[in-house]
Amino acid sequence: MNATPDRFTLAARTLHWLMAVMIVAMLFIGVGMVATVSARHEWLLAIHKPLGIAILLLAVIRLAVRLRHPPPPLPADLPALQKLAALASHWLLYFLMLAMPLIGWAMLSAGGYPVMLGDSLRLPPIFPTSPVAFAVLRHLHTAFAMLLFLTFLAHMGAALYHGLIRRDGVFASMLPAASPRVDGDGEEVDADNAGRLSAAPQDD
Amino acid sequence: MHDPTPPNTPPRRIGAWSLIIGIVVIVAIAFGYVGGWLAPHRLTPKKLVNQLQHDAGTFAGYRRNHAKGVCVVGHFDSSGQAQTYSVAQVFAPGQRTPVVGRFAIPSGNPYAPDSSVPIRSMALRFALANGQQWRTGMNSMPVFPVATPQAFYAQLQAKQPDPVTGKPDPAKIAAFFAAHPETAAFRAWAKTARPSASFATESYWSLNAFVFVDAAGRRQPVRWRMVPEASDAGVARTPGGADYLAADLTERLARGPQRWQLQVTLANPGDPTNDATKTWPDDRRTIDAGTLVLERSAPQASGPCRDINYDPLVLPAGIEASDDPLLPARSAAYADSYLRRTSEEAHLPGTTAPKPETSR
């Protein structure tokens, strides 16, 4: 699998889709819980904190996987600006998925709150108590959440653009190797399937 | 099977682009709806706190409600009696837990005269030895006027001062009470309630129900109140000036610690836990969980309670929220108020810096 240059490793793909679900859910939970006075505020908050720490742990593992296994190269004919946008947005996503949980944790610490992940599981504070730091970190948490959501939208839009418009195998590189024909020239088969997976039906 | 890139005929490109744009727009709209930007009718914490500011004015750096108060410091000595019902460490026999508290009066105006309302409040933060915390905000009346955040919001709207007279419109308040018969018990209490001369002689009720959880995981709905040892309210000197409560407290504490008994009332099955307008019948079992001992006070501008958000849903293992809809609303609104005043404290852009004050 590692030898296939046009597809992310199994670990990378698994982490990508697992974390995609978690992060998108987290963004909706986050904006939802602060915009209601109903009981949703409580149970969303109860999910938000442990889910955030889970994302932090997975993000650390994911960063290690990414540094160990460089991703498949982007198509040679991709305009330089799009290549730059892809690279920059990916590192922005890595930065935000690491920074957001840390900011949330630091923010609660600065606000003097016990950082409870459940009824009795408590994390130690990672920032001294300070109302000024709390306010700055709390606003940063929201601003970065908005930036993360916009980056996610751009990322999703770009992935669909690669899959539906360019059909250059970039989208397929994050999909499972769904080929039943794994014998013989696996690389060719994969590339082939990648092309087909990302293409709309051929007959109009 | 090795097809070259299929021809991207214009109709297909338009279809694909529409699909991509459509998906992105739908996700963005869903986000906007969940986040409240596209749901203008939803009651949000921001709306509640804005309404508090409409009613009382905006005072940078202060809490948006119960703005006028004083810090207190002491401890809680557990009797051990509540341990049967709750595993919270604060209730372990002989356990002493440090407390940072705050007495206050309602209203978002930090300059309101102490005699302007008959209600006083006591907020406490118990710092448990295991690092968990128990925060509670109690009021000196046994029932709350309303049962839901929506009704509370309607009450705040009814109390908003008329722009012409600068005072609340009595007709609007009357209309609110007429439309909210659940306020009857509170109004009956308010009819005879007089502003007390001291924080120290008041009882403070949790109002909302909570749930104690024991070592076996059994859940017991409860309410609690702090019952004062001091009972000389009747003989207290006639209050003078607008700020007699803090002075009285300082004076009493100079003579010695002030004490309250924490009385926990256990609900019977079927007692309402989601309605703060209703008391439970008098015959419900009450246990004495321990003694609150307050030793010193400090101005809220510089005291240790200043930066504490007395969010009633900061709870230790062994105490949980009930299904009372006011609890999540309090938690959410307090968080919003806390962010506003800490942002002002931090002099963040778009906020008004707090004025230097001697008593805050």
Side-chain angles (χ1 to χ4, degrees):
Chain A
M1 191 67 74
N2 288 352
T4 311
D6 58 353
R7 198 178 292 279
F8 283 88
T9 62
L10 178 63
R13 280 180 279 136
T14 307
L15 283 165
H16 171 272
W17 289 108
L18 177 65
M19 292 189 70
V21 172
M22 290 167 80
I23 290 171
V24 173
M26 193 65 172
L27 286 165
F28 278 83
I29 288 169
V31 293
M33 72 187 192
V34 296
T36 179
V37 295
S38 76
R40 285 198 302 276
H41 177 264
E42 270 337 283
W43 63 260
L44 289 176
L45 193 58
I47 299 172
H48 193 80
K49 287 186 264 187
L51 185 56
I53 295 301
I55 289 173
L56 176 63
L57 294 175
L58 288 175
V60 171
I61 296 170
R62 188 170 176 185
L63 186 64
V65 168
R66 166 82 181 222
L67 294 174
R68 249 183 98 98
H69 304 281
L74 289 165
D77 64 336
L78 196 67
L81 199 63
Q82 288 188 34
K83 275 187 181 164
L84 182 69
L87 199 67
S89 65
H90 290 170
W91 286 112
L92 182 60
L93 286 168
Y94 272 97
F95 167 75
L96 289 172
M97 70 179 85
L98 287 162
M100 282 296 285
L102 287 171
I103 292 170
W105 187 355
M107 160 193 120
L108 289 178
S109 307
Y113 297 99
V115 185
M116 305 293 288
L117 294 191
D119 284 345
S120 50
L121 179 59
R122 186 181 61 86
L123 294 182
I126 55 168
F127 207 90
T129 308
S130 152
V132 172
F134 169 82
V136 171
L137 290 166
R138 178 65 189 79
H139 286 289
L140 203 59
H141 200 60
T142 300
F144 277 9
M146 296 305 147
L147 182 60
L148 179 52
F149 182 70
L150 291 177
T151 314
F152 153 68
L153 280 187
H155 179 79
M156 182 180 70
L160 291 170
Y161 165 73
H162 281 286
L164 297 175
I165 309 274
R166 278 189 57 95
R167 302 171 188 208
D168 53 8
V170 169
F171 184 59
S173 68
M174 196 46 98
L175 294 179
S179 170
R181 301 183 293 142
V182 286
D183 54 335
D185 193 351
E187 208 173 305
E188 269 306 301
V189 170
D190 273 0
D192 227 25
N193 276 324
R196 272 191 284 132
L197 274 167
S198 59
Q202 309 269 316
D203 48 332
D204 283 356
Chain B
M1 283 307 289
H2 196 97
D3 289 342
T5 307
N8 270 325
T9 55
R12 168 174 290 161
R13 271 175 173 260
I14 290 169
W17 274 117
S18 309
L19 185 64
I20 295 170
I21 292 167
I23 290 173
V24 169
V25 167
I26 286 169
V27 174
I29 288 175
F31 193 71
Y33 175 77
V34 171
W37 300 285
L38 301 177
H41 298 294
R42 189 187 310 154
L43 181 55
T44 60
K46 198 174 168 181
K47 267 195 208 173
L48 264 180
V49 178
N50 283 346
Q51 188 60 48
L52 284 165
Q53 293 182 176
H54 294 324
D55 288 12
T58 306
F59 299 90
Y62 290 92
R63 285 161 218 264
R64 268 32 181 185
N65 200 4
H66 294 243
K68 184 181 185 183
V70 57
C71 296
V72 283
V73 177
H75 61 266
F76 176 76
D77 286 326
S78 169
S79 70
Q81 285 185 43
Q83 198 192 29
T84 320
Y85 301 97
S86 170
V87 293
Q89 193 185 26
V90 65
F91 296 134
Q95 184 78 36
R96 173 168 287 194
T97 303
V99 169
V100 173
R102 183 174 181 271
F103 287 109
I105 60 170
S107 168
N109 181 350
Y111 308 106
D114 290 343
S115 57
S116 58
V117 279
I119 299 169
R120 280 80 177 89
S121 64
M122 172 196 266
L124 301 172
R125 186 198 67 185
F126 300 76
L128 279 58
N130 60 14
Q132 299 176 19
Q133 291 184 8
W134 176 25
R135 302 187 187 186
T136 175
M138 299 165 286
N139 279 336
S140 64
M141 75 273 192
V143 286
F144 200 66
V146 293
T148 65
Q150 285 71 22
F152 182 65
Y153 184 59
Q155 186 185 13
L156 291 179
Q157 285 179 310
K159 285 201 290 195
Q160 183 170 340
D162 185 289
V164 179
T165 64
K167 289 193 158 75
D169 180 352
K172 279 188 182 165
I173 293 177
F176 167 80
F177 283 128
H180 290 271
E182 76 273 21
T183 56
F186 172 79
R187 276 184 290 155
W189 173 85
K191 207 168 269 181
T192 57
R194 294 287 169 267
S196 72
S198 176
F199 284 128
T201 55
E202 294 279 303
S203 284
Y204 298 91
W205 279 263
S206 68
L207 299 174
N208 308 113
F210 291 81
V211 179
F212 276 8
V213 184
D214 73 8
R218 278 185 297 260
R219 299 165 60 79
Q220 168 65 54
V222 299
R223 281 170 169 166
W224 57 75
R225 65 176 162 147
M226 287 288 181
V227 179
E229 199 176 67
S231 59
D232 57 327
V235 299
R237 71 213 181 296
T238 312
D243 309 314
Y244 51 87
L245 285 169
D248 169 87
L249 188 67
T250 308
E251 205 178 294
R252 284 171 189 265
L253 289 170
R255 293 202 296 267
Q258 300 294 303
R259 292 183 171 80
W260 282 257
Q261 297 302 316
L262 173 58
Q263 299 199 345
V264 179
T265 302
L266 312 176
N268 277 7
D271 286 344
T273 53
N274 62 353
D275 190 345
T277 68
K278 291 192 177 77
T279 53
W280 292 337
D282 287 338
D283 65 353
R284 295 296 180 259
R285 196 170 158 219
T286 294
I287 54 172
D288 187 347
T291 308
L292 173 71
V293 182
L294 297 182
E295 286 146 349
R296 61 183 179 88
S297 66
Q300 64 168 343
S302 55
C305 73
R306 187 190 73 172
D307 301 327
I308 299 175
N309 164 12
Y310 287 97
D311 176 347
L313 290 185
V314 173
L315 297 167
I319 306 179
E320 293 179 5
S322 70
D323 56 350
D324 188 332
L326 289 177
L327 281 173
R330 288 178 68 183
S331 184
Y334 288 23
D336 190 90
S337 165
Y338 186 63
L339 178 58
R340 292 187 196 205
R341 65 190 183 93
T342 52
S343 298
E344 289 155 358
E345 208 70 53
H347 296 213
L348 293 185
T351 66
T352 312
K355 281 184 242 157
E357 291 293 341
T358 48
S359 69
R360 188 149 60 80

